Amino acid sequence: MTTTEPNTDAPMPAPVGIAARAVRATKSYGSGDTRVVALDEIDAEFEQGRFTAIMGPSGSGKSTLMHCLAGLDTLTSGQVFIGDIDLSSLSEKKLTTLRRDKVGFVFQAFNLIPTLTAIENITLPMSLAGRKPDDSWVDRVITTVGLGDRLTHRPSELSGGQQQRVAVSRALASRPEIIFADEPTGNLDTNSGSEILNFMRQAVDEFAQTIVMVTHDPVAASYADRVVFLVDGRIVHDLASPDRDAIIDQMKHLEVGR
Amino acid sequence: MLRTTLRSLWQHKRRLISTTVAVLLGVAFMAGTFVLGDTLDNSIDELVGEVTVGIDAEVRGPELFDSGFGALRAPVDASLVDTVAGVDGVEDAAGYVQSMSGRILDSEGEALGQTNGAPTIFEAFIPNGDLSGYEIVDGRGVEADDEMVLNRGATDDADLAVGDQVEITSALGRDSFTLVGIYTIKGRDSIAGAVTASFTPTVAQELAGLPGQFQLIYATAADGVEQPELADAINSVLPEDSGGEAITGEQSSEELSDSFSEGLAFFSTFLLIFALIALVVGSFIIFNTFSILVAQRGKELALLRAIGATRRQVLVSVLVEAILVGLIAAFVGIAAGIGLAIGLVALLDSIGLELPSSGVVIAPATVVWALIAGVGVTLFSAMIPAWRATRVPPIAALRDVATDASGTSKVRAVIGIILFALGLFMLTPAFGEAPDSAALPSVGLGAVLLLVALVVLGPVIARPAAKLFGAPLSALRGTPGHLARENAARSPKRTASTAAALMIGVALVGFITIFAESARASIDDQITRGLKADLILQSESFDVGIPLEVSTMIAERDDVAGVASVRQGLVQLTMPDGSNSTTFMGAVDPEVYPEAVEVQMAEGSLSDLRPGGIVVDARQADERDIAIGDTITLTFPTGSTAEVEVVALSEDPQLLGLYTISHEDWSTNVPNQTDGIVFVSAADGVDVEELQASIEEAIEPYVTVIVQDRDEFLGSIAAQLNTALNVIYGLLALSLIIALIGIANTLSLSIYERTRELGLLRAVGMTRAQLRSSVRWEAAIIALLGTVLGVLLALALSYTLVQALGPQGFSTYDIPVTSLVVIVAVFAILGVLASVLPARRAAKLNVLEAIATE
Ligand SMILES: Nc1ncnc2c1ncn2[C@@H]1O[C@H](COP(=O)(O)OP(=O)(O)OP(=O)(O)O)[C@@H](O)[C@H]1O
Ligand SMILES: [Mg+2]
């Protein structure tokens, strides 16, 4: 994969390896007549330190792919790797600790534990691991995301945008190998949404964080280094350094193709 | 609307199971009590009917007084038997006398029958099988004074055969008789397991201490004479001065079974109290379940309202659900109760109380009460949640329904504090100068008010308390502990009512534990202070006394310095103001008693007690307005009466009874007197242990008498209290089980509600073990809250009651710290055990489905 047109001024860290990989990944539900193939022998690689967006029509398998990559769901056949680790070989307990230590999550909604304060939510994976969070790093994340004065608030006392910022901070705070975000801005207004996207972009550029984001929004996808298009459980297009218009073009193309 | 209700019920069926069980257990307990009572009642009716079927008329003496277990009647003169036999229409008549003051020894020389089990009855043999109901199946009837016959059950148990010499102990000492016959009673081996030994009338009269007298005369009618005719005929010839009366056999048998039923009714009432406690505890669980279900269905209910359902329809839909739950609980409860009763009857049978088993009796009243209890409790408990359901605004359909986190409403706090203060105020009479028994109703009401106040205040204190108890968890158990603490504090109402169910059970357990311990310590204190004797002789059966020859024999020993005894029995006292009181009264020898026991006196001295005098407990004297110099009339079970003058007031109820007369007066009025307790002081230089061993050997023939040193004596009192305590623990266990089911139930419902949150936790890396531990700790916090509140309540109430009862001999308030710590620990652990299933279910949640849950 080559980048012809870097869309930020920040120096691009050289790709040193693959953060996550799917090999002939297949996921199907049911059997016989009612069989639904959500992922159809997908091969994909997600490089370290890059921001990838996954797009596609509803029901095309975006969430399923993400869940399988993240160890939340298991494949029907094929393999997925986080780093060098083959997830299909892991026990449920190992998968859990892998999610805790190597993966970060941002969901569309309901990202936070209502009984915990913002800061407790941010450091949750680390305290679950019984690890002391790296304070200077957490501080840096919080400052970057701009949550300074809201840290001791509970989720119910935060706006939707603030809640998503906490969720992004949580994903970043434990320095996972990869962050998966499923429509993280889907519930937000344009302003809050672009703030979140900026943070993610910043995390990739400044901290060399790897992020995979599912989205329906071409503007959101344009923040990414690369957009993968999914239709009916298959990757149909792979767009590098996308801008909004190119994405919209591609989407129209897909609509017509269907 | 009904269809929606039914569908919702069906959808929640898993969640409603434990709720149903919570009501069901209480209903089963109640139904079981009723069925057992009715069954026993029926068995007794049947038994009495069978045994007395041949009796057409019964002659008895005038009523002396009510013993509390039926009327006590004077004996009639033996010569009356001939008078009755001579009456026109009488075919046959026989005198009957019985006593329960001894034991039969088996072939090994051991006393037959269990201590405090079915009784041993010495009675007059009636040759006419129609009258006695007995049929000699081996040997012959009694003909001479050195002969006896026994029921077949007894000879089987004791391994005795016709021709054997049978030893008995009685008030008269040891004696021996030749077993000449064995009988059955209407084909049965025994009457409800009792040992019935029949002797000649003369011997039976002697054993009962009624020489020349009978308690009853039975008669059969000649052919064609009806029972009422017969009774009338007999009544017309009974001498005026005999005071006796004849009744029909039917009436006699009815009165007999009635007197048994009365005793049973007392027992049933005692059990019912615990069934009611179980139902009250269960009602908290139901309240909680319906509250949570309504909250969880908030959106659905709002939608119903939005599309036009009226408030009434919503109310009805929730209540119908409650009624269905109540109905199921009631019917399954009745079935379980019947099973319980069958089991208990079998248990009674196995401990020797054999009853005719004509099947369990399921009275319509049992079913009605079980339905009322089951449906009533459920409906009542669901009332508030149902009403709350009607308050769900239609607009809520469009909003996110948050869990009810309220709890600290000002109104609630104010009402709770007012109730609490009122409760405390009601307790104050207990702390007065000299609280009398009038303080008790107030204290009782105060206790109930405090309990209600704590239930009302529960939601107010639940959050801070959960945070407090959970504080060490946050520090020690990391995130799972921290989450447990936050979750327990999350919806205070829910936590509070779950804890309240446990609080009630624990408060009762703690209360009786502390109370019993204080009673034990008080008795211990007083006895340790006043008891000077070295050894104490008692009979192991309450009804069998110590023959007087035992104390005479011991007094003659060189290694004994002194012997003092208390004789006791049922006596009716007629007070100066004319009121009557029936009580167990004691008699002592004022010369020697102070050597064995130092009694504290309020007025006068024990040595003032002489024949014709009585010593009264100062507190009794105060309540009944008795003063020194007053005259009290005593009526003894034999019918004799005596007037005694109050000579002194004592204040040592543990060491001297409430009323005490002299041995002389006792001997005059009570034939066959026995000692209830004998105190022995060792002579100087005699080793008490050796003396005990030696006396033990000497009294070997008196099988029911046991010798204890002071420590053993105190120990046996503690053991008796412990037995009573264990019975009550057993009966409260059900309520505690229900409370634990409540914890499991609340957690399951909460976990269901938190599905999404749990999914998120698992997604970001919480392991199953961590999740289980979090749920367990949440349960521990709730259990601890209930237990600690319960123990605090128990402490306050037991302290108050001990204060109120101070003048009645409660000198010591003793907190059994170890027991209380054990109670708290046990319930915290049981609370955790209750969470095992919900915790497992939580851990098994499918992460993806959980995240996707709306
Ligand atoms: N648990 C399941 N059982 C059966 N089919 C499922 C299940 N989960 C997903 N599917 C099916 O798999 C396919 C892919 O679903 P997925 O959720 O990955 O789509 P998506 O691309 O994320 O859609 P959207 O943009 O609407 O979120 C869909 O056809 C869906 O119906
Ligand atoms: Mg999706």
Side-chain angles (χ1 to χ4, degrees):
Chain A
M1 172 162 294
T2 50
T3 36
T4 47
E5 234 184 64
N7 54 357
T8 64
D9 299 335
M12 184 68 189
V16 282
I18 305 296
R21 189 151 57 97
V23 181
R24 299 176 66 80
T26 303
K27 175 79 184 176
S28 59
Y29 296 100
S31 58
D33 283 353
T34 57
R35 187 172 131 105
V36 178
V37 180
L39 299 180
D40 193 359
E41 301 205 339
I42 283 187
D43 286 307
E45 291 184 343
F46 301 91
E47 294 96 343
Q48 279 175 354
R50 307 204 70 188
F51 188 174
T52 310
I54 301 178
M55 297 193 77
S58 189
S60 58
K62 305 182 293 292
S63 297
T64 308
L65 176 62
M66 218 191 78
H67 291 153
C68 289
L69 283 169
L72 282 171
D73 204 354
T74 50
L75 290 173
T76 313
S77 70
Q79 286 167 298
V80 284
F81 296 84
I82 296 284
D84 315 325
I85 306 166
D86 180 358
L87 300 196
S88 58
S89 67
L90 295 186
S91 67
E92 145 47 63
K93 181 152 190 229
K94 287 248 169 64
L95 273 179
T96 305
T97 44
L98 174 118
R99 287 199 301 268
R100 187 183 76 196
D101 299 335
K102 300 203 148 99
V103 179
F105 286 101
V106 183
F107 298 106
Q108 179 171 359
F110 205 84
N111 261 303
L112 307 178
I113 302 300
T115 46
L116 299 181
T117 59
I119 183 69
E120 284 167 343
N121 265 294
I122 291 172
T123 55
L124 182 59
M126 282 159 286
S127 50
L128 281 173
R131 264 191 285 130
K132 233 195 107 24
D134 175 346
D135 283 339
S136 60
W137 172 251
V138 172
D139 279 350
R140 193 164 158 203
V141 168
I142 291 165
T143 325
T144 310
V145 177
L147 271 170
D149 55 335
R150 311 245 96 199
L151 286 180
T152 53
H153 289 67
R154 310 246 160 175
S156 58
E157 297 156 351
L158 300 175
S159 72
Q162 286 168 332
Q163 288 184 24
Q164 286 308 80
R165 281 195 249 168
V166 173
V168 172
S169 304
R170 180 189 61 214
L172 287 168
S174 59
R175 298 200 203 230
E177 293 194 0
I178 187 163
I179 291 175
F180 292 103
D182 195 350
E183 303 186 43
T185 56
N187 274 6
L188 301 180
D189 65 45
T190 323
N191 273 341
S192 316
S194 61
E195 262 173 18
I196 294 292
L197 289 162
N198 274 320
F199 296 136
M200 298 209 284
R201 184 67 244 169
Q202 228 175 320
V204 174
D205 294 341
E206 291 174 19
F207 314 144
Q209 181 64 58
T210 313
I211 298 181
V212 176
M213 171 182 76
V214 170
T215 183
H216 284 284
D217 176 6
V219 179
S222 70
Y223 283 77
D225 299 317
R226 167 192 174 199
V227 180
V228 174
F229 290 91
L230 228 59
V231 173
D232 292 341
R234 269 184 290 246
I235 294 180
V236 293
H237 197 77
D238 202 329
L239 197 63
S241 305
D243 61 24
R244 200 183 71 104
D245 295 336
I247 296 168
I248 293 175
D249 263 2
Q250 184 60 39
M251 285 170 78
K252 280 190 184 135
H253 191 72
L254 291 180
E255 289 293 311
V256 175
R258 270 165 77 92
Chain B
M1 201 64 193
L2 184 66
R3 185 127 38 95
T4 357
T5 306
L6 289 176
R7 193 167 298 145
S8 121
L9 193 66
W10 185 246
Q11 274 166 2
H12 302 149
K13 62 186 178 303
R14 254 257 306 272
R15 281 183 272 164
L16 285 170
I17 286 175
S18 49
T19 320
T20 314
V21 171
V23 204
L24 185 161
L25 288 179
V27 173
F29 196 160
M30 196 179 94
T33 303
F34 283 137
V35 172
L36 181 68
D38 290 343
T39 303
L40 292 183
D41 235 13
N42 187 52
S43 301
I44 286 166
D45 276 357
E46 200 176 311
L47 193 64
V48 168
E50 265 184 40
V51 174
T52 58
V53 70
I55 298 168
D56 293 319
E58 174 193 298
V59 178
R60 59 193 190 184
E63 178 172 344
L64 290 172
F65 54 84
D66 187 353
S67 68
F69 315 96
L72 207 74
R73 294 180 174 274
V76 296
D77 202 81
S79 64
L80 221 55
V81 175
D82 290 336
T83 316
V84 173
V87 172
D88 245 10
V90 171
E91 186 192 52
D92 189 14
Y96 181 78
V97 61
Q98 67 156 51
S99 57
M100 292 195 278
S101 59
R103 289 300 183 91
I104 304 274
L105 306 193
D106 63 17
S107 57
E108 310 278 307
E110 303 284 333
L112 182 60
Q114 287 152 327
T115 306
N116 302 323
T120 296
I121 298 170
F122 296 150
E123 57 184 7
F125 181 69
I126 299 175
N128 184 345
D130 281 347
L131 283 177
S132 63
Y134 294 177
E135 184 193 354
I136 300 281
V137 290
D138 192 6
R140 58 169 173 82
V142 173
E143 285 164 9
D145 285 349
D146 62 350
E147 295 174 354
M148 72 185 295
V149 291
L150 268 173
N151 64 306
R152 188 159 70 187
T155 55
D156 283 354
D157 286 349
D159 197 18
L160 294 168
V162 170
D164 285 353
Q165 279 302 113
V166 179
E167 301 275 318
I168 72 163
T169 66
S170 71
L172 304 175
R174 271 291 273 261
D175 223 329
S176 166
F177 295 86
T178 312
L179 183 65
V180 296
I182 296 170
Y183 58 81
T184 55
I185 306 113
K186 295 286 167 187
R188 286 175 216 293
D189 284 351
S190 76
I191 301 174
V195 175
T196 41
S198 312
F199 306 87
T200 58
T202 322
V203 172
Q205 287 165 352
E206 257 171 48
L207 286 168
L210 297 170
Q213 291 179 303
F214 285 116
Q215 286 157 333
L216 298 167
I217 297 168
Y218 294 131
T220 51
D223 275 351
V225 180
E226 294 293 314
Q227 287 195 358
E229 270 176 68
L230 186 70
D232 285 347
I234 297 173
N235 268 328
S236 65
V237 301
L238 282 183
E240 267 302 308
D241 61 349
S242 75
E245 57 167 348
I247 55 169
T248 62
E250 235 168 71
Q251 192 185 341
S252 146
S253 126
E254 226 166 78
E255 283 183 15
L256 189 59
S257 31
D258 282 355
S259 73
F260 283 118
S261 299
E262 248 173 68
L264 270 181
F266 177 79
F267 172 68
S268 297
T269 310
F270 178 72
L271 289 182
L272 272 183
I273 291 173
F274 291 90
L276 285 182
I277 294 172
L279 283 170
V280 169
V281 171
S283 71
F284 279 87
I285 313 300
I286 299 161
F287 171 77
N288 220 9
T289 308
F290 276 90
S291 300
I292 300 174
L293 288 185
V294 163
Q296 289 177 353
R297 276 167 58 199
K299 234 176 171 149
E300 177 191 327
L301 292 170
L303 193 64
L304 282 172
R305 294 272 287 120
I307 60 173
T310 63
R311 286 209 156 133
R312 237 195 70 170
Q313 281 172 316
V314 169
L315 184 77
V316 166
S317 91
V318 176
L319 290 184
V320 164
E321 199 167 323
I323 290 172
L324 286 175
V325 168
L327 278 176
I328 294 169
F331 280 113
V332 181
I334 291 170
I338 293 170
L340 189 72
I342 293 174
L344 283 174
V345 169
L347 190 73
L348 288 178
D349 202 67
S350 74
I351 60 166
L353 192 75
E354 296 145 32
L355 291 165
S357 52
S358 46
V360 287
V361 179
I362 302 150
T366 304
V367 179
V368 171
W369 278 113
L371 282 174
I372 291 178
V375 179
V377 164
T378 318
L379 202 55
F380 175 76
S381 313
M383 216 60 122
I384 293 177
W387 180 81
R388 248 187 243 145
T390 67
R391 303 285 115 177
V392 175
I395 189 74
L398 311 173
R399 287 202 307 246
D400 231 14
V401 189
T403 47
D404 181 9
S406 68
T408 6
S409 92
K410 281 231 173 58
V411 182
R412 175 183 287 279
V414 167
I415 293 177
I417 288 168
I418 289 175
L419 283 173
F420 197 80
L422 214 58
L424 285 182
F425 177 72
M426 302 293 282
L427 297 183
T428 49
F431 300 93
E433 251 314 283
D436 55 14
S437 42
L440 288 180
S442 170
V443 169
L445 194 62
V448 173
L449 277 178
L450 280 189
L451 189 75
V452 174
L454 280 186
V455 170
V456 173
L457 283 176
V460 182
I461 48 182
R463 196 194 301 264
K467 293 246 167 170
L468 180 71
F469 294 144
L473 280 183
S474 284
L476 294 174
R477 310 296 321 169
T479 310
H482 182 57
L483 282 171
R485 177 189 182 203
E486 294 300 329
N487 280 332
R490 188 173 192 171
S491 64
K493 274 185 193 154
R494 193 179 294 185
T495 300
S497 54
T498 311
L502 191 57
M503 173 183 81
I504 294 173
V506 171
L508 290 169
V509 166
F511 174 77
I512 61 152
T513 307
I514 303 172
F515 187 67
E517 174 60 19
S518 297
R520 195 202 55 74
S522 301
I523 294 171
D524 215 290
D525 248 25
Q526 290 162 45
I527 290 176
T528 313
R529 171 175 48 69
L531 184 64
K532 295 195 288 187
D534 299 304
L535 295 174
I536 300 96
L537 274 68
Q538 279 180 294
S539 170
E540 58 183 21
S541 290
F542 181 67
D543 51 2
V544 182
I546 305 171
L548 293 190
E549 60 194 54
V550 171
S551 63
T552 317
M553 179 185 83
I554 295 173
E556 279 164 8
R557 297 172 62 111
D558 289 339
D559 50 3
V560 166
V563 171
S565 69
V566 183
R567 297 170 191 171
Q568 50 205 6
L570 200 60
V571 173
Q572 177 177 268
L573 299 93
T574 308
M575 304 301 175
D577 63 2
S579 66
N580 286 326
S581 162
T582 305
T583 177
F584 267 89
M585 193 174 92
V588 302
D589 178 348
E591 297 290 307
V592 298
Y593 197 70
E595 282 165 30
V597 178
E598 191 184 311
V599 181
Q600 294 202 336
M601 302 296 289
E603 237 183 298
S605 133
L606 193 57
S607 57
D608 296 336
L609 183 62
R610 47 187 161 64
I614 186 167
V615 177
V616 180
D617 181 71
R619 186 180 162 78
Q620 284 289 318
D622 194 43
E623 274 190 12
R624 296 182 176 274
D625 256 340
I626 301 170
I628 290 191
D630 283 352
T631 302
I632 294 177
T633 308
L634 309 177
T635 309
F636 294 88
T638 47
S640 71
T641 59
E643 292 202 340
V644 286
E645 187 193 327
V646 179
V647 293
L649 302 181
S650 62
E651 51 180 6
D652 220 346
Q654 291 306 327
L655 298 171
L656 194 72
L658 301 180
Y659 299 94
T660 311
I661 58 171
S662 65
H663 273 173
E664 284 88 343
D665 281 343
W666 193 261
S667 315
T668 323
N669 293 288
V670 181
N672 280 10
Q673 51 176 334
T674 53
D675 287 325
I677 183 162
V678 177
F679 298 104
V680 178
S681 307
D684 275 350
V686 173
D687 181 68
V688 173
E689 221 170 292
E690 276 169 30
L691 179 64
Q692 184 178 5
S694 159
I695 289 181
E696 246 159 31
E697 212 178 297
I699 60 162
E700 180 111 61
Y702 309 97
V703 285
T704 58
V705 184
I706 49 170
V707 191
Q708 294 173 316
D709 64 20
R710 298 159 56 105
D711 285 345
E712 288 167 343
F713 180 61
L714 290 174
S716 70
I717 292 173
Q720 276 171 28
L721 278 170
N722 275 340
T723 308
L725 209 52
N726 285 339
V727 168
I728 298 181
Y729 282 160
L731 292 169
L732 284 177
L734 191 68
S735 303
L736 291 162
I737 290 172
I738 293 174
L740 293 173
I741 290 177
I743 293 183
N745 193 40
T746 305
L747 286 175
S748 303
L749 292 168
S750 300
I751 283 165
Y752 175 83
E753 202 169 82
R754 294 182 207 145
T755 303
R756 213 165 153 173
E757 186 180 326
L758 296 179
L760 179 65
L761 279 168
R762 297 272 293 119
V764 299
M766 189 178 221
T767 62
R768 283 186 172 160
Q770 282 176 323
L771 187 52
R772 277 198 299 267
S773 130
S774 181
V775 176
R776 273 201 301 272
W777 286 115
E778 183 179 350
I781 292 173
I782 298 176
L784 208 59
L785 176 62
T787 315
V788 167
L789 282 180
V791 166
L792 288 180
L793 196 60
L795 281 170
L797 295 183
S798 57
Y799 183 68
T800 308
L801 190 62
V802 167
Q803 292 302 314
L805 293 177
Q808 272 160 25
F810 275 81
S811 52
T812 314
Y813 178 67
D814 202 85
I815 301 173
V817 177
T818 325
S819 307
L820 293 185
V821 170
V822 168
I823 289 174
V824 172
V826 162
F827 283 104
I829 292 169
L830 286 177
V832 171
L833 284 181
S835 71
V836 165
L837 279 182
R840 245 207 344 235
R841 210 172 299 147
K844 286 225 178 103
L845 271 183
N846 179 315
V847 182
L848 274 184
E849 279 174 21
I851 296 173
T853 305
E854 265 311 314

